Amino acid sequence: MSKPKNQCSKTHGAPKVKERDQKVCIRFKCTVLNTLMDVLRHRPGWVEVKDEGEWDFYWCDVSWLRENFDHTYMDEHVRISHFRNHYELTRKNYMVKNLKRFRKQLEREVGKLEAAKCDFFPKTFELPSDYHLFVEEFRKTPGITWIMKPVARSQGKGIFLFRKLKDIMDWRKDVGRSDDQKDDIPVENYVAQRYIENPYLIGGRKFDLRVYVLVMSYIPLRAWLYRDGFVRFSNTRFTLSSIDDHYVHLTNVAVQKTSPDYDPEKGCKWMIQRFRQYLTSKHGPEMVETLFRDMDNIFIKSLQSVQKVIISDKHCFELYGYDILIDQDLKPWLLEVNASPSLAASSQEDYQLKTCLLEDTLHIVDMEARLTGKEKRVGGFDLMWNDGPVSREEEGIDTAGTGNFVANTHLGCNNDRKKQLRQLFCSFHSQKKVTS
Amino acid sequence: MLQEEEDLSLTIAQIVQKLKGSRLYAQLERQAWVSLQKPEIKLETLKEDIKEFFRITGWEKKLHNAVYSELTVFPLPRHPAAPPEHLKEPLVYMRKAQGSWEKRILKSLNSMCTELSIPLARKRPVVEQKELLNKWNEMGTDEPDLSLFRPVYAPKDFLEVLINLRNPNYENGEHLNFKTHLGLIQVPLKVKYISELKEFFVELSLNTGQLGIDDATQVPPELFENEHVRLGQKVLAEQDSAAAQQYIRQGSPTALRAELWALILNVSNQPEDLLYYEQLKSNVIQHDLLVDSLIYKDVKLTASNDDYYFVFEDYLYQVLLCFSRDTAVLGHFAYNSASPPKSYIRGKLGMEDYAVFYPPNGVIPFHGFSMYVAPLCFLYHEPSKLYQIFREMYVRFFFRLHSISSHHSGIVSLCLLFETLLQTHLPQLFYHLREIGAQPLRISFKWMVRAFSGYLATDQLLLLWDRILGYNSLEILAAHLDFLLVILHG
């Protein structure tokens, strides 16, 4: 397979020389790739490479990765946008397994209280393998609603809700024979998950949160949390009485787009800042801080649960889209983690968010080798975990003992990234001048 | 000296008169009777003891707030011989202009009515009433055919009327000189100079901490924000309207805003208020008004299409439909230059005995009206409280944005203030824009009429409305715009 070219040697103090990279918009499944292409094209010194040319940076899609990663030699500086076996985190059935295992481990090693912090995932069973376990649980709590989701599909496809076992009897007959497919792609494996019947509603509507987490490495675990994100509303009012109404329960924009009520101009989205302010004025700052702390916990525990199974290749990084649901008690639940969050923009505001998100991602990937590695914030990203919790306080102040630890996360807070980036890169520039 | 004393006693008498009919009076009376049971109340010092009792139990504070509210909302009597129209609007030409504008609106409404052969009001059949009651919390799902309805007027129509306002006693002169006003508004009203504005808005000076600025930047929270929040909590604990109004001039912390506004507007959610709201709701259920369709249309056109307010669509109907039926709103016409439109029972045209105000609250909504309510949905989630807050905001502030008057917070003065400030600070820009036919007011007018709702991000908007409440004036709208433009241009 093609070997990426070595970079040219650099002269003292001169800015990093040109690097080649390959854009693969053609291979992306998204229909609108403006955001990524725009960001990459506008990056100074970055050049698009076509077809079989050699590259230093590849924002690939997961199917290319599956087929080619193992046969591709990459030089040390090369970066690619996925981890080889990311599905340990992003495929629902694997994630459940890993989380359950991690929870048991925590209970053994630390205690019940710590293990209980993993209870952010609604009870889930893999089907058809855990069918009998599922039926047992199902019979314990009759009358509640369950949701059936295919493990590998996205955008809300193939999902349905049910309350009676007979609703899934027919489905079970069809699915039973799929096991002799390739292990990598279980075609129609499903998970049955307890449906959250008391979601938090705004204006009578259900919603979920999309949050972005950037993982630069698993061993050691280094993860960044982006300050912006958005809230996706269901287009119709929430009611449990119509289970068949797909449109109410699924908040994915992709499904909402096909709802008869859908008005593309509306966007059905709020920026997370507005959401945070709305909650603060309704419940007060303390409850909101608890909620956001609980969300931090979700991100970290979920990453820790797959830390040992994911092949931590130094060439890999990954930008995850976390889907979170909040219930009426202000408890956050993890719905799923996406390895390829949609980068298509549904509105001007959305376009802004995604281009800034991608720019900052590229700053952290740092092909230009501008960062020192000691940064706690780059643009809209805050360093959330660096082989241990990261505190908002400056280094050297001992907060561990005082119990005043405040995490270095600012989800939904003011994102003055331009200013921060200016300060960051200006200081490098002056440092370089000094050292050269 | 004597005159002032006379004025004061007149004011006191008026306020006492007003409050005598209020719920607070009945409560105070009841409390006074109850206090007689207490051992500390002695017959010899009855008056002082009861006063002390009121002070300790917080009832005195409530009375303070009620009096303060009356003083804030109702203008002081100018001259005992002045007729009631003067309270509404002292200048004759303004009154006339408002009168003819109202006639136009009513004519437009009536013709729409005739065209579509829809009655102004009708009683709903029982089946329809039941249906509406079931759907009360999700009226937004209704998709009635509103294509034939059009808004009665839009801000730009109103602007044209204001542009043509002239004082018949004033000679403007044909030639341009340095005193000529370059803008669209050509009436000689007095607006504040920059020095007066600086004095008026003294809490907004650079030396004083502000929320929205000093908490967003690198200023450490200890310097301003924490202290400000603590102060806010104290103000709320004291339940003092006047203090809250002073406090909020520097902006309100997000978590305290809902309570602070309720305190300043003297809105509390008593059982009587809930009952009153339920009564309005049942009025909506029983009768259908033509105005309802206008409201529906407005919500669908404006708030539902807004990126942030679309979520609150259902609340908007619940508030606005009840608002049209609330006859308590008629009280504000005493100091509003506008007058409620009158309609006559079929066949009894012109007979005063058969005249009714239409709509019952006297306010005909225009295009964008629902945007006055939308930002409030961020703060209040209980329909009756949301309703009360909106009603109070309307009868104190918003009505001035769409009626013709000489009041310093009226839209005419605001437009003039905006143009004057702009002409003072950016004269070359203003002149150039005028030459190319792009008068700045044409763009900024709709922002001011809507009090910026829908044109500013919600957090910024709420901070702006904090100042409207704090200074009891809408002048901040014009000043804010002007500062924005100066910054953008400079």
Side-chain angles (χ1 to χ4, degrees):
Chain A
M1 262 323 249
S2 57
K3 186 178 112 155
K5 201 168 185 171
N6 282 329
Q7 67 205 50
C8 310
S9 58
K10 49 181 170 150
T11 52
H12 256 305
K16 199 88 167 150
V17 294
K18 291 196 195 326
E19 307 197 70
R20 318 273 178 82
D21 54 15
Q22 179 175 21
K23 316 296 195 310
V24 287
C25 47
I26 322 149
R27 300 206 220 181
F28 260 114
K29 288 200 186 94
C30 293
T31 47
V32 178
L33 302 167
N34 292 336
T35 50
L36 187 55
M37 279 298 255
D38 288 349
V39 170
L40 288 167
R41 282 203 183 129
H42 283 109
R43 208 160 169 84
W46 286 51
V47 173
E48 188 174 358
V49 173
K50 301 263 195 280
D51 301 323
E52 296 306 310
E54 288 158 5
W55 44 267
D56 305 299
F57 178 89
Y58 190 168
W59 194 289
C60 62
D61 65 45
V62 292
S63 46
W64 181 95
L65 190 83
R66 194 169 47 236
E67 283 157 30
N68 299 298
F69 186 90
D70 298 330
H71 329 294
T72 310
Y73 171 73
M74 286 185 277
D75 267 352
E76 191 167 325
H77 71 279
V78 170
R79 291 289 174 270
I80 193 164
S81 68
H82 283 292
F83 284 93
R84 175 66 185 86
N85 57 343
H86 59 81
Y87 47 79
E88 294 286 348
L89 181 63
T90 58
R91 204 163 286 165
K92 302 167 190 66
N93 52 342
Y94 288 132
M95 205 250 285
V96 165
K97 257 203 297 260
N98 286 317
L99 199 61
K100 279 184 182 161
R101 188 180 25 83
F102 182 63
R103 192 189 191 288
K104 281 208 187 77
Q105 179 191 342
L106 275 183
E107 197 168 7
R108 253 192 341 261
E109 292 175 11
V110 186
K112 273 200 152 61
L113 220 58
E114 189 66 17
K117 289 195 187 154
C118 292
D119 292 337
F120 47 76
F121 202 63
K123 252 199 162 49
T124 307
F125 297 95
E126 212 179 313
L127 298 180
S129 48
D130 294 341
Y131 185 74
H132 297 289
L133 284 170
F134 161 66
V135 171
E136 210 184 298
E137 180 68 35
F138 184 91
R139 295 220 162 99
K140 265 196 245 168
T141 47
I144 64 164
T145 315
W146 291 78
I147 183 168
M148 194 75 89
K149 305 188 203 185
V151 296
R153 288 197 260 171
S154 65
Q155 305 190 326
K157 300 192 199 110
I159 298 185
F160 62 94
L161 301 167
F162 63 96
R163 276 202 194 125
K164 303 197 208 47
L165 274 180
K166 72 175 171 67
D167 292 336
I168 55 171
M169 286 308 183
D170 299 323
W171 163 87
R172 193 189 167 202
K173 288 189 210 127
D174 296 332
V175 149
R177 42 137 179 83
S178 70
D179 293 358
D180 34 36
Q181 308 270 348
K182 252 202 294 191
D183 275 31
D184 271 357
I185 325 165
V187 172
E188 283 295 80
N189 264 10
Y190 275 69
V191 288
Q193 189 177 71
R194 195 160 164 167
Y195 186 67
I196 295 167
E197 291 179 329
N198 63 337
Y200 194 91
L201 301 177
I202 294 181
R205 282 169 227 245
K206 184 174 158 175
F207 62 89
D208 71 4
L209 273 77
R210 166 51 62 90
V211 182
Y212 295 101
V213 175
L214 174 64
V215 176
M216 291 307 294
S217 75
Y218 274 95
I219 299 174
L221 182 58
R222 271 176 73 89
W224 300 75
L225 180 66
Y226 200 67
R227 293 188 179 200
D228 291 337
F230 47 88
V231 169
R232 298 179 294 204
F233 283 97
S234 160
N235 227 358
T236 49
R237 285 113 187 111
F238 180 78
T239 160
L240 278 177
S241 56
S242 64
I243 292 197
D244 284 331
D245 192 356
H246 240 204
Y247 305 118
V248 180
H249 298 282
L250 299 167
T251 51
N252 264 348
V253 177
V255 175
Q256 291 299 323
K257 276 188 170 149
T258 56
S259 155
D261 273 353
Y262 185 70
D263 179 356
E265 306 298 312
K266 262 190 247 176
C268 315
K269 285 185 195 174
W270 272 11
M271 286 293 133
I272 258 189
Q273 279 80 1
R274 292 288 157 271
F275 172 67
R276 191 167 180 152
Q277 277 163 2
Y278 175 87
L279 282 187
T280 307
S281 77
K282 194 168 175 191
H283 300 280
E286 291 86 23
M287 284 186 79
V288 174
E289 291 203 11
T290 308
L291 169 66
F292 279 78
R293 252 203 317 271
D294 290 343
M295 288 203 276
D296 285 348
N297 175 62
I298 292 183
F299 308 137
I300 293 166
K301 291 267 179 317
S302 57
L303 292 173
Q304 283 177 326
S305 71
V306 295
Q307 198 176 2
K308 302 216 172 87
V309 287
I310 291 216
I311 303 162
S312 189
D313 187 325
K314 62 174 183 289
H315 302 103
C316 303
F317 70 91
E318 206 154 18
L319 180 65
Y320 296 111
Y322 272 74
D323 291 342
I324 307 270
L325 182 75
I326 302 187
D327 72 15
Q328 274 174 11
D329 304 317
L330 283 190
K331 177 184 157 73
W333 295 88
L334 177 61
L335 290 178
E336 72 170 331
V337 185
N338 289 286
S340 310
S342 162
L343 297 174
S346 60
S347 70
Q348 183 58 30
E349 202 176 37
D350 201 35
Y351 180 81
Q352 260 302 101
L353 185 152
K354 285 173 177 158
T355 42
C356 295
L357 172 72
L358 292 167
E359 267 173 37
D360 290 342
T361 306
L362 295 178
H363 288 323
I364 294 182
V365 170
D366 199 25
M367 301 292 295
E368 298 93 340
R370 289 185 289 185
L371 301 179
T372 62
K374 298 217 169 43
E375 291 82 7
K376 289 202 317 190
R377 180 186 171 188
V378 176
F381 273 110
D382 292 298
L383 184 60
M384 171 171 62
W385 191 268
N386 187 11
D387 201 19
V390 180
S391 159
R392 234 180 244 187
E393 300 300 322
E394 291 303 321
E395 241 70 77
I397 299 177
D398 177 20
T399 51
T402 58
N404 280 341
F405 176 80
V406 180
N408 185 38
T409 52
H410 299 84
L411 183 60
C413 296
N414 189 32
N415 186 5
D416 53 344
R417 57 179 288 280
K418 278 211 174 89
K419 189 162 147 197
Q420 199 270 348
L421 287 171
R422 239 198 328 259
Q423 285 172 344
L424 188 68
F425 291 126
C426 270
S427 67
F428 291 153
H429 196 63
S430 49
Q431 266 174 29
K432 276 212 172 106
K433 279 199 173 141
V434 168
T435 57
S436 65
Chain B
M1 233 357 203
L2 195 63
Q3 186 60 39
E4 273 179 39
E5 280 176 26
E6 273 183 33
D7 281 345
L8 189 58
S9 13
L10 185 62
T11 312
I12 294 175
Q14 283 186 333
I15 293 182
V16 168
Q17 181 72 9
K18 268 237 175 64
L19 289 179
K20 262 213 171 118
S22 75
R23 188 194 327 129
L24 182 61
Y25 182 80
Q27 285 175 326
L28 283 171
E29 221 181 5
R30 209 179 319 133
Q31 284 299 313
W33 281 107
V34 162
S35 75
L36 291 178
Q37 311 283 339
K38 302 217 181 287
E40 51 268 18
I41 311 289
K42 299 193 176 40
L43 196 57
E44 309 84 62
T45 48
L46 190 64
K47 203 168 170 186
E48 282 71 34
D49 287 345
I50 294 188
K51 269 196 197 165
E52 182 63 20
F53 172 74
F54 277 165
R55 195 184 63 78
I56 297 172
T57 50
W59 282 101
E60 191 191 51
K61 225 346 112 52
K62 290 202 172 82
L63 183 59
H64 275 182
N65 291 343
V67 172
Y68 190 70
S69 178
E70 292 295 325
L71 282 174
T72 313
V73 177
F74 285 86
L76 300 169
R78 315 228 182 155
H79 192 278
E85 302 94 75
H86 278 225
L87 200 59
K88 287 161 73 78
E89 172 50 54
L91 300 178
V92 173
Y93 75 91
M94 288 271 182
R95 287 209 299 266
K96 283 213 175 107
Q98 174 63 26
S100 48
W101 170 238
E102 275 167 24
K103 279 208 187 74
R104 264 179 66 183
I105 300 175
L106 202 53
K107 198 163 159 212
S108 170
L109 187 66
N110 279 329
S111 65
M112 191 182 347
C113 196
T114 332
E115 248 176 63
L116 303 173
S117 345
I118 297 177
L120 285 175
R122 70 172 175 100
K123 191 166 171 79
R124 285 187 223 269
V126 176
V127 166
E128 199 185 313
Q129 287 187 30
K130 264 213 180 93
E131 230 184 274
L132 185 56
L133 193 58
N134 282 338
K135 262 197 324 206
W136 182 257
N137 288 322
E138 30 178 75
M139 281 186 273
T141 51
D142 227 0
E143 298 286 328
D145 180 17
L146 300 167
S147 50
L148 296 172
F149 289 96
R150 1 163 250 285
V152 180
Y153 66 94
K156 61 176 163 43
D157 305 315
F158 189 50
L159 179 59
E160 291 307 316
V161 174
L162 298 186
I163 290 172
N164 291 317
L165 264 183
R166 292 289 181 275
N167 181 348
N169 293 332
Y170 191 77
E171 177 53 58
N172 232 348
E174 290 294 319
H175 311 287
L176 282 179
N177 55 50
F178 78 92
K179 278 200 286 187
T180 310
H181 182 67
L182 295 175
L184 292 172
I185 304 293
Q186 293 291 330
V187 285
L189 292 175
K190 183 176 185 320
V191 291
K192 292 188 167 75
Y193 299 126
I194 189 73
S195 51
E196 288 171 312
L197 282 173
K198 271 196 188 155
E199 233 184 88
F200 186 66
F201 290 118
V202 67
E203 290 86 354
L204 299 181
S205 78
L206 283 172
N207 301 330
T208 322
Q210 302 294 333
L211 276 184
I213 301 175
D214 295 313
D215 52 337
T217 59
Q218 311 290 31
V219 174
E222 299 80 59
L223 275 185
F224 169 67
E225 198 185 342
N226 290 349
E227 186 55 36
H228 193 63
V229 173
R230 254 188 3 94
L231 194 56
Q233 285 163 336
K234 210 160 163 219
V235 167
L236 281 173
E238 290 293 310
Q239 282 291 294
D240 187 329
S241 280
Q245 193 167 326
Q246 179 64 34
Y247 168 79
I248 213 176
R249 291 181 179 186
Q250 288 170 274
S252 163
T254 312
L256 305 179
R257 183 175 279 121
E259 280 183 67
L260 279 170
W261 283 23
L263 181 56
I264 295 172
L265 297 170
N266 210 24
V267 166
S268 58
N269 221 8
Q270 306 279 353
E272 297 87 40
D273 301 314
L274 277 156
L275 267 176
Y276 190 77
Y277 178 75
E278 287 299 313
Q279 180 64 42
L280 291 174
K281 178 176 162 183
S282 70
N283 287 349
V284 177
I285 305 282
Q286 286 173 358
H287 290 92
D288 179 27
L289 300 177
L290 175 67
V291 180
D292 292 350
S293 305
L294 294 176
I295 291 172
Y296 260 108
K297 181 122 194 178
D298 186 47
V299 173
K300 290 281 181 210
L301 284 178
T302 56
S304 297
N305 278 327
D306 184 285
D307 283 338
Y308 283 96
Y309 300 131
F310 72 92
V311 172
F312 301 121
E313 192 184 338
D314 297 329
Y315 292 127
L316 297 179
Y317 298 121
Q318 292 175 27
V319 167
L320 289 166
L321 293 179
C322 290
F323 182 65
S324 329
R325 287 147 175 87
D326 192 351
T327 50
V329 175
L330 293 172
H332 90 287
F333 286 107
Y335 51 87
N336 183 356
S337 63
S339 298
K342 262 201 274 209
S343 183
Y344 297 90
I345 307 283
R346 209 189 290 264
K348 312 276 187 199
L349 192 68
M351 297 166 74
E352 282 312 313
D353 288 342
Y354 295 93
V356 290
F357 292 125
Y358 185 86
N361 72 341
V363 180
I364 297 184
F366 56 90
H367 179 69
F369 193 83
S370 54
M371 292 303 277
Y372 288 141
V373 190
L376 302 174
C377 298
F378 254 86
L379 300 173
Y380 304 99
H381 313 100
E382 206 268 291
S384 90
K385 187 130 191 223
L386 174 63
Y387 176 76
Q388 283 189 76
I389 296 279
F390 166 66
R391 183 178 66 179
E392 219 27 60
M393 291 289 282
Y394 183 82
V395 301
R396 283 194 196 206
F397 305 112
F398 296 146
F399 76 89
R400 297 201 192 277
L401 295 171
H402 55 91
S403 51
I404 306 175
S405 88
S406 60
H407 194 270
H408 59 79
S409 265
I411 188 69
V412 184
S413 302
L414 295 184
C415 291
L416 193 56
L417 178 62
F418 166 70
E419 290 186 319
T420 312
L421 285 174
L422 199 59
Q423 187 172 336
T424 313
H425 291 131
L426 300 170
Q428 283 173 315
L429 174 67
F430 202 146
Y431 189 75
H432 172 70
L433 286 174
R434 196 182 103 127
E435 292 302 292
I436 64 172
Q439 282 274 8
L441 185 61
R442 286 202 188 274
I443 307 167
S444 58
F445 184 70
K446 55 182 185 288
W447 301 346
M448 287 195 286
V449 168
R450 285 224 202 138
F452 283 84
S453 174
Y455 297 112
L456 266 187
T458 315
D459 57 337
Q460 298 295 311
L461 183 77
L462 292 172
L463 285 167
L464 188 65
W465 286 16
D466 282 343
R467 270 69 177 205
I468 293 181
L469 283 162
Y471 291 99
N472 198 34
S473 151
L474 292 163
E475 284 156 312
I476 190 83
L477 294 178
H480 179 82
L481 248 186
D482 181 69
F483 297 149
L484 268 179
L485 278 171
V486 170
I487 292 166
L488 284 173
H489 186 258

